[in-house]
Amino acid sequence: MTDDNRTAARFSVQRKERLLDELRRNGSVLVTELARVLEVSEMTVRRDINDLARQGLVTRVHGGATLRSPLDHSARGQSVDAGLAKYTIGVVVPSLDYYWPQVVNGARVAAAQSRARLLLRGSRYDAADNRKQIQALVDMPGVHGVIAAPETAGPEGRELLRWLDALPVPVVLTERRPPRGLVTTRLESVSTDHARGAETAVRHLHEAGHERIGLLASVTSPTFAPIRRGWVETLESLGQSPDDAVAADANLCLDDGGEAFMDEVLARCRETGTTALLVHPDGQALQFVQHCVDRGIRVPDDLAVVAYDDEVAHLGSPPITAVRPPKSWVGRVAVETLIARLDEGSTRPMHHVQLEPELIVRESSVAASALPEERAAKG
């Protein structure tokens, strides 16, 4: 073996060790994010994942990988066999292509480690369809419990939660909590502390020198209320009034009149002295930053932006700083909570778990020179 080959092999081992470290920490990894962090091509990351999958160390999934368990036989095209599973768990999520795939991947990891089988069904952001899909799982022979992310708003949401609370199997809500004023006795929950995520974003922007920090957030999202609450409370704690900054529905960025709306937001930023925005979700943040660039607005020099969700924020130009919910961990802890309930029964106290999100600092909120070295480096 030549010296060049030895060096290449050593770097390959180091990359794979880093990849496994990320998996142990988060439960799943994205090819795009690893390529950026490791400063290599996405093809190189995929090659490393394929090598680790052949060794039985990881499981390949769309766009990335998850941890493998000795009980996970997916490398042979199988999941945990129904006859070998200790428990069968139904999972209902409102999307199979945004945010929720990582939650499901985390749930798969925990299920494999606990000798449980998952039955997945997709739903819509609609209480009636949520109930239909959950009922279909409950009616299946041998289903021991359900993990779900149902609608919780309005009369329909409250009625759905009452129905869930009365089911004959335990239910764990993911990224949802029963609203105040609705008493439930059997529902448990695992969610991200989104108010804390908004606080982290606002404090980051304030520390970067911004006195007026606005909010563009999707008013139709279940995450809207805690994000707005975190934004309001943090501004007030910093001696700022939310009424003095820009606040609008981020969904309008994607409407037919999206460009006119974003021009209006920029005009209001100038009028109010708003120099930074928290934008939820990622797609709208990406659209807004692109519009800023098209209008000659320098990001972050003229206007700093932080996205919320971190699904596609890293693809922006410049890459967008983002609050990253611990999605795979939400899935993992939801499965662990449900299995603990099944193992321990009614003697176990009811659990409502909140996990903290992470702020991933990129170029849209601070100058490149101020970024941590590994994030400032270009691959």
Side-chain angles (χ1 to χ4, degrees), residues 69-237:
S69 163
L71 298 172
D72 180 4
H73 305 296
S74 58
R76 297 196 296 271
Q78 303 170 359
S79 58
V80 177
D81 187 84
L84 299 175
K86 182 179 181 182
Y87 296 119
T88 297
I89 298 171
V91 179
V92 177
V93 295
S95 172
L96 296 172
D97 58 8
Y98 184 90
Y99 196 100
W100 294 97
Q102 290 189 59
V103 177
V104 172
N105 287 341
R108 288 180 63 248
V109 170
Q113 292 171 343
S114 301
R115 213 177 70 206
R117 184 169 69 118
L118 296 187
L119 301 178
L120 175 66
R121 292 182 77 94
S123 185
R124 300 192 299 272
Y125 289 93
D126 175 78
D129 191 57
N130 295 161
R131 180 164 179 165
K132 174 184 175 182
Q133 303 304 331
I134 294 168
Q135 185 68 67
L137 287 169
V138 173
D139 289 343
M140 291 182 181
V143 171
H144 296 92
V146 172
I147 293 171
E151 285 295 289
T152 60
E156 297 86 358
R158 286 174 174 261
E159 181 55 36
L160 177 59
L161 290 172
R162 293 189 188 98
W163 176 75
L164 289 170
D165 196 42
L167 285 177
V169 297
V171 176
V172 174
L173 306 178
T174 55
E175 292 293 25
R176 306 285 188 270
R177 290 173 68 92
R180 293 186 181 278
L182 178 66
V183 178
T184 60
T185 59
R186 299 178 66 245
L187 291 181
E188 298 185 277
S189 67
V190 178
S191 59
T192 300
D193 188 345
H194 294 296
R196 175 67 168 169
E199 176 185 358
T200 301
V202 171
R203 291 193 181 278
H204 163 71
L205 290 167
H206 184 261
E207 289 168 4
H210 299 282
E211 295 297 326
R212 293 278 172 86
I213 301 165
L215 175 70
L216 296 184
S218 168
V219 299
T220 58
S221 168
T223 312
F224 171 75
I227 287 178
R228 188 181 188 282
R229 184 176 71 251
W231 172 72
V232 169
E233 292 176 353
T234 307
L235 286 183
E236 290 176 343
S237 74

Side-chain angles (χ1 to χ4, degrees), residues 56-79:
L57 297 173
V58 306
T59 295
R60 287 172 295 180
V61 297
H62 179 69
T66 64
L67 276 176
R68 285 285 311 282
S69 163
L71 298 172
D72 180 4
H73 305 296
S74 58
R76 297 196 296 271
Q78 303 170 359
S79 58

Side-chain angles (χ1 to χ4, degrees), residues 282-300:
D282 271 24
Q284 283 83 326
L286 203 66
Q287 190 79 13
F288 186 78
V289 168
Q290 176 180 305
H291 185 77
C292 287
V293 172
D294 290 346
R295 290 294 188 263
I297 305 296
R298 297 173 301 164
V299 177

Side-chain angles (χ1 to χ4, degrees), residues 338-359:
L338 183 54
I339 289 176
R341 171 63 54 199
L342 293 168
D343 284 341
E344 300 172 34
S346 60
T347 60
R348 175 180 166 87
M350 300 303 294
H351 279 53
H352 294 281
V353 182
Q354 281 199 305
L355 306 179
E356 285 209 6
E358 177 184 11
L359 182 71

